[in-house]
Amino acid sequence: MPGNPNPNPDPDPGPEPDPDRVTQTYEHAGLGIAIPDNNAAGASYNFTVDTSGFVLAAEFSLNVTHTYQGDLRATLTSPSGTSVILHNRQGGSANDLDLNLSSDDLSAFQGENPTGEWTVNVSDNARIDTGTIDALSLTLITAATEDPSPPPTEPEVTFAEYSFSNIALAIPDNNADGVQDCEPRGQT
């Protein structure tokens, strides 16, 4: 006895990939770069990105071992010199720093050519506590053109302006229905 034929032999592969967009992740783990204590210059890690085009979106994660988050300031600088503050001495006495930043946090890089040397800098800005830069990851979504698919334009909205004077309305007290009739009275 034959079985039931599969009405959908080919599963839906989902949307077609956009050939103009490229997603590339640059991961660096096991770094163990010492952050000098109470030194505003801090420690830097440079890495090369070989993806070309224009940045459409970016995500970044940074893992730092440190005994006092409030001492730390962290920045990410692109090859064109744009610098974004990732962390600026928040967190008080909490240990370690695990940042995960989205495109909203990194919008300053949108439209830039990502090719070249990127720099992560972490500085310790108070005495006693120390730590290391342990790992980082940068994910870039780029396109060959600056804006391969511009968002649809919003329809233009027109507002009408009305002005009324000499309107007498009875506003009922303790009535959830409120004013029911807004017709001007005594106008000809």
Side-chain angles (χ1 to χ4, degrees):
M1 184 166 166
N4 290 338
N6 184 349
N8 296 316
D10 296 321
D12 181 12
E16 289 288 322
D18 186 340
D20 192 43
R21 293 176 190 237
V22 175
T23 301
Q24 183 71 43
T25 299
Y26 298 87
E27 294 182 321
H28 303 270
L31 299 174
I33 300 169
I35 303 165
D37 189 33
N38 196 24
N39 182 328
S44 292
Y45 180 74
N46 301 320
F47 61 98
T48 301
V49 167
D50 58 5
T51 301
S52 61
F54 295 92
V55 174
L56 299 176
E59 293 178 352
F60 185 77
S61 65
L62 176 65
N63 302 101
V64 173
T65 300
H66 196 277
T67 52
Y68 202 92
Q69 278 186 19
D71 289 359
L72 301 175
R73 184 173 193 273
T75 60
L76 175 63
T77 305
S78 71
S80 66
T82 301
S83 188
V84 171
I85 297 171
L86 309 171
H87 179 82
N88 196 10
R89 304 192 68 183
Q90 302 97 327
S93 64
N95 287 341
D96 304 330
L97 188 61
D98 291 309
L99 297 177
N100 291 295
L101 299 152
S102 69
S103 245
D104 291 339
D105 303 311
L106 304 171
S107 62
F109 300 130
Q110 291 176 354
E112 290 190 7
N113 181 341
T115 306
E117 188 172 86
W118 289 69
T119 302
V120 175
N121 177 272
V122 180
S123 62
D124 177 322
N125 297 279
R127 294 182 309 114
I128 301 173
D129 298 283
T130 60
T132 57
I133 301 171
D134 298 323
L136 60 94
S137 174
L138 175 65
T139 299
L140 297 169
I141 300 173
T142 59
T145 59
E146 192 166 354
D147 195 358
S149 55
T153 58
E154 294 293 322
E156 187 174 316
V157 178
T158 305
F159 294 95
E161 186 175 320
Y162 295 97
S163 177
F164 297 98
S165 59
N166 297 325
I167 297 175
L169 295 176
I171 300 174
D173 189 25
N174 203 16
N175 181 337
D177 292 335
V179 176
Q180 297 297 311
D181 181 8
C182 293
E183 294 291 320
R185 305 274 183 221
Q187 303 283 323
T188 56

